[in-house]
Amino acid sequence: MAAAAGKDGYNNSCDLKTARLWRDAALRSRKLRSSLRQLTLSCGDQDKLILPEDLGDVEVLNLGNNSLEEVPDGLRSLSMGNLHVLILRRNKFLNVPSAVYELGRLTELDMSHNRLGCLTEAVGLLSQLKKLCLSHNKLQTLPRQMGSLVHLEELDVSFNRISQLPDTMQGLPRLRVLDLDHNELCSFPQQLLHLPALEELDFSGNKMLGSDCGGSLPHGIRTMKLLKVLWLSSTGLCSLPDSFCSLGSLESLMLDNNNLCSLPNGFEELQKLRMVNLSSNAFQEFPKALLQLQDLEELYMSRNRLTVVPEGISSLFRLVTLWLDNNRIRYLPDTIVELGLLEELVLQGNQIAILPDNFGKLSKVNIWKIKDNPLIQPPYEVCMKGIPYIAAYQKELANSQPAVKPRLKLVLSGQKDAGKTMLRHCLTDGHQSSCIQGNTGIEVTNWTADVERGLTFIVYELAGDQSYDIINPFFLSPGALYILVVNLKSYVSRHFYKSVGYFLHFISAKVPHAVVCIVGTHADLCEEKEIEEKCLDIHHQISLQEKKDMESLQNLAQTVDEALSQNYDMRVSNPHAAFYGVSDKNLRRKKAQLQYLMNNRLQILSPVLFVSCHDYSNIRRLRDKLLSVAEHREIFPNLHRVLPKSWQMLEELHFKPQELWLTWWDSARLGLQAGLTEDRLQSALSYLHESGKLLYFEDNVTLKEYVFHNLTKLIDILNVFFQRDASVLLQKLMSDSKIDELRATQLHHYVEGFLLHGLLPTHIIKLLLKPHIKTQEDLQLILELLEKMGLCYCINRSKSKPLNGATAWYKFPCYVKNEVPHAEAWINGTNISGQSLAVEQLQIEYNFPFIFPPGLFARFSVHINNHVVHRSDGKFQIFAYRGKVPVVVSFRPSRGALQSDVLSIASHASLPNIWTAWQAITPLVEELNALLQEWPGLYYTVQVLCSKCLKRGSPNPHTFPGRFNVISMCLCAYMTLFSHCLLCILDIAVNNIFSV
């Protein structure tokens, strides 16, 4: 009796729980869809899905995302009800359940994302179907009874393995939409030519076989006169038949990623076309037929072989989108500015040097890409800022004389004691130098290399000490010439990477396709044979490193190609497959990124030049080499950039004042002397900032009121903070002769705290910068600037509460040494009492196989400060909170040549609150992604780690790359823990955060 009572109690409890689930689902369904009576059910914590008894009024039943292998009992009873829509997507069905075939009143059935191997003839029983979705399954054929679904209007069988269609398919008189994307159809099915109502057809991803060059379409395609949308991407087409031009109803046409080199005669008759995509084909000439499609709104011709854009492009006056990137276009026609409705103009990866006048007419353009062009008019820095800045430049150029002032940035890089300072003096002074001490920081010098031609180099000598790693990257920029200095006397082959290879990776990651000259110093201390052997070894090792890097990138590209050649369903069905769950679109994007890295390798000049401060003939040979390379227009087009005379005058006027900074109004007065009114000053300052002549942050509320024109003084200030020499710091602090012993002890304490923990109070900072800082305003501006650059942050300044006279303390994360965050319990997955936390951990890893950007972790530490509270920093780890949610940022340096550097962002929360963990890490991920955009030549991968593996302490947790299906599909612990609605939320979250 007791057992029976207990059983009854258990059943009542389950019934109550089930009833509440139904009630909650019903409430949600009323909110989601008021026009139809809809019910969405989830298994939740139950092993089996149970249908409620009274579903007679339900019109839409959603049982998706439940991992069902069988439909719940009672589904057959709905055959006499009002059920019209049944959703069974994202389950585990191997076949269509027989109960489904008995629902004869269904008008819509969705069984996508299952494991269906076949569709039986019983499908004919669903005679009222209007919409049938069977995408992302394993279907190899369709039954003949498909032809009996005479009411069918939409059919989606994309991402299957269908190799042929039944003859009866042509008996679908109402079929309007047919999706055959990514199947195994090797020719265009004749059945499609007899579908009288077909308006939309997606046949992409089916590799058609035909002639030697690829596939073709049947001449009978002319019968498909109602077609409005036709997608034929990645089908292997090498030509289109003339009969194609009979498809007069076409509005959208996708022909990208084929082998087309021309369009058929009569293509201009397709006057209803609004969108044409011809990207990734073999067009060498712009198709003239396109110019007659006057209603065209979107045109994509990326990744072809175009060299000229015709003047007649202006006839496409309704164009809103024009993509011409990655061609061979050398110039744009003047008429392109007449396309006044353009909103997207993509021109990157061409050979354009000069933009047409009146480019500002394209004022509606909001998506603008122009990088990787040899731009000189307007200069690259102006073009990258966007159309308004181009318009301002051209307007200014029209109002003042153009000025060409050849000036090139020259950057000296290399290890400490490589001889950079001596080399700089030998180059710039024009004579032998033998008693010059090495530099202790970053130095900048103007060098007039050729007086007759007015050729000037701005020489930046970067510090070789590792303490400057965080600021050296700020001085690397496109369009500069780089000298990598190597001490030949101390060079040994086994330390090649430390003295040469690392710096090549560093420059390549920051400035892809940069020009690098290798210079060996201290040649006077080496025998002639030793010089020859070491120079040859450096040259050989550079070749080996370059070969290894290229092979790695090629292997990655091959892996992407192999993944693209697979059916998407094969990738999504195996969590251990390469690029598991990543869409074809994102794989192509990754392939383009890898192709960019392979196409933009460093331009390393050969041979290795060797010099000595005691033999000026070699210095003269180096000077001649630098001048010869600098004047090469194809290598340095920016040397011949054309500027408005007023902009050049403004630059020269800003060099005269000796103050640390100018107010906006001070700068405006100088602008008036140069002939620039206030409304024209902004563009000029923006150019000078982008080209590295001064600093002007127009996006910062505080800093936009100031112009930092004295870069020499700013560099001196940076040198104070990053030389890590206690004696020098103390000397600056104790310059006052009146300091007593107690005060001296305090200053010693501050210096020790700075070098160990990176902490300094503002009054000590003011003392350190005493020669440069004269007022409190100077100090606040410099600290604001350092924070903007990601070098330090205030640790006791609240967002809402003022300090009220308390001393502000600043932390420089790059100085943190041995501190360990106070988060051991969280990191080990236990609470204070030692019990394991029942939480799910979210961890995102960024892997850097070639090089980790120097200073990135420290700058990231500064940038996240506004997003976190209660933080505790270690050398390679930060523990903090986002609200009440813990977050941990960690860096793990590689421990060998085969390992990658890893930066991870992690959080955790209980299962019902898992969404809060995603919300906690999202802004941190965005900050990191923004910093990584400063490194266009850097290769890295992003992965989400399997929560189940992390929970059980696996040393090699499973990872999910690219656009992620995240924790849901880990084979190591195939999920029973998460509810499926939660997985959908996580999937959406990750897709919003990442793309490949």
Side-chain angles (χ1 to χ4, degrees), residues 542-579:
I542 289 174
S543 300
L544 290 179
Q545 176 169 297
E546 181 63 14
K547 180 182 178 182
K548 180 182 177 183
D549 291 349
M550 276 297 290
E551 287 177 350
S552 297
L553 292 172
Q554 288 168 352
N555 290 337
L556 288 166
Q558 183 178 351
T559 306
V560 174
D561 286 335
E562 290 171 356
L564 276 169
S565 67
Q566 295 175 345
N567 188 300
Y568 173 77
D569 187 56
M570 293 176 64
R571 289 201 305 275
V572 81
S573 63
N574 180 9
H576 291 284
F579 302 108

Side-chain angles (χ1 to χ4, degrees), residues 904-915:
S904 65
I905 305 172
S907 181
H908 71 219
S910 60
L911 183 57
N913 298 314
I914 197 70
W915 181 246

Side-chain angles (χ1 to χ4, degrees), residues 876-914:
F876 294 136
Q877 196 167 55
I878 303 165
F879 174 73
Y881 282 87
R882 281 266 301 151
K884 296 182 178 180
V885 182
V887 291
V888 172
V889 177
S890 304
F891 173 59
R892 186 175 71 245
S894 66
R895 296 183 178 88
L898 299 178
Q899 287 188 328
S900 299
D901 296 301
V902 178
L903 193 153
S904 65
I905 305 172
S907 181
H908 71 219
S910 60
L911 183 57
N913 298 314
I914 197 70

Side-chain angles (χ1 to χ4, degrees), residues 134 153 253 314 323 336 428 560 667 670 678 709 778 898 937:
L134 300 169
E153 298 178 6
L253 178 60
S314 58
W323 287 48
I336 198 170
T428 58
V560 174
S667 184
L670 295 177
E678 184 183 330
H709 65 292
D778 284 350
L898 299 178

Side-chain angles (χ1 to χ4, degrees), residues 40-186:
T40 299
L41 294 178
S42 173
C43 291
D45 296 332
Q46 297 178 338
D47 295 332
K48 189 175 182 181
L49 188 64
I50 302 174
L51 293 179
E53 293 181 2
D54 185 11
L55 292 178
D57 293 333
V58 172
E59 296 175 287
V60 179
L61 180 59
N62 186 349
L63 304 179
N65 295 293
N66 279 299
S67 295
L68 297 177
E69 297 180 3
E70 298 178 355
V71 292
D73 297 336
L75 188 65
R76 282 184 173 84
S77 64
L78 302 180
S79 60
M80 301 304 294
N82 292 321
L83 188 64
H84 296 300
V85 179
L86 178 60
I87 301 172
L88 295 172
R89 68 193 316 263
R90 294 192 183 275
N91 283 295
K92 299 178 182 178
F93 293 108
L94 299 177
N95 297 287
V96 178
S98 58
V100 173
Y101 289 131
E102 297 182 23
L103 303 175
R105 297 187 181 185
L106 282 183
T107 59
E108 181 179 335
L109 174 61
D110 184 352
M111 292 199 69
S112 60
H113 294 275
N114 277 282
R115 304 174 184 177
L116 302 180
C118 67
L119 190 67
T120 68
E121 298 291 346
V123 72
L125 298 173
L126 302 174
S127 58
Q128 301 301 310
L129 274 184
K130 293 183 178 181
K131 183 176 180 179
L132 177 59
C133 185
L134 300 169
S135 66
H136 295 87
N137 280 288
K138 300 179 181 180
L139 298 175
Q140 296 183 2
T141 185
L142 296 176
R144 293 182 57 80
Q145 282 298 314
M146 286 292 296
S148 65
L149 303 179
V150 294
H151 295 286
L152 196 63
E153 298 178 6
E154 298 180 34
L155 175 60
D156 183 357
V157 289
S158 59
F159 292 95
N160 278 283
R161 303 171 185 174
I162 298 171
S163 57
Q164 61 181 10
L165 299 179
D167 294 338
T168 55
M169 279 281 291
Q170 61 192 36
L172 298 174
R174 299 184 184 180
L175 191 63
R176 294 183 303 101
V177 180
L178 176 58
D179 192 344
L180 295 168
D181 183 18
H182 279 83
N183 277 283
E184 297 177 5
L185 297 160
C186 57

Side-chain angles (χ1 to χ4, degrees), residues 200-235:
E200 299 181 21
L201 172 62
D202 188 349
F203 195 71
S204 301
N206 291 281
K207 302 297 181 183
M208 293 192 289
L209 305 176
S211 61
D212 293 338
C213 70
S216 59
L217 297 172
H219 289 281
I221 198 170
R222 61 163 55 93
T223 62
M224 306 178 75
K225 294 186 179 297
L226 294 183
L227 265 186
K228 295 181 180 179
V229 178
L230 178 58
W231 285 25
L232 296 167
S233 307
S234 305
T235 53

Side-chain angles (χ1 to χ4, degrees), residues 666-719:
D666 291 335
S667 184
R669 280 189 284 272
L670 295 177
L672 288 174
Q673 295 180 42
L676 287 167
T677 54
E678 184 183 330
D679 59 319
R680 293 152 53 203
L681 179 65
Q682 183 92 5
S683 299
L685 287 176
S686 176
Y687 163 74
L688 293 176
H689 171 84
E690 294 295 334
S691 57
K693 308 300 192 310
L694 50 75
L695 296 181
Y696 173 61
F697 298 97
E698 54 189 310
D699 60 342
N700 185 282
V701 175
T702 303
L703 297 178
K704 71 178 181 180
E705 300 298 328
Y706 301 88
V707 177
F708 297 90
H709 65 292
N710 198 330
L711 292 186
T712 303
K713 281 193 175 182
L714 284 176
I715 290 173
D716 289 342
I717 288 173
L718 293 176
N719 286 335

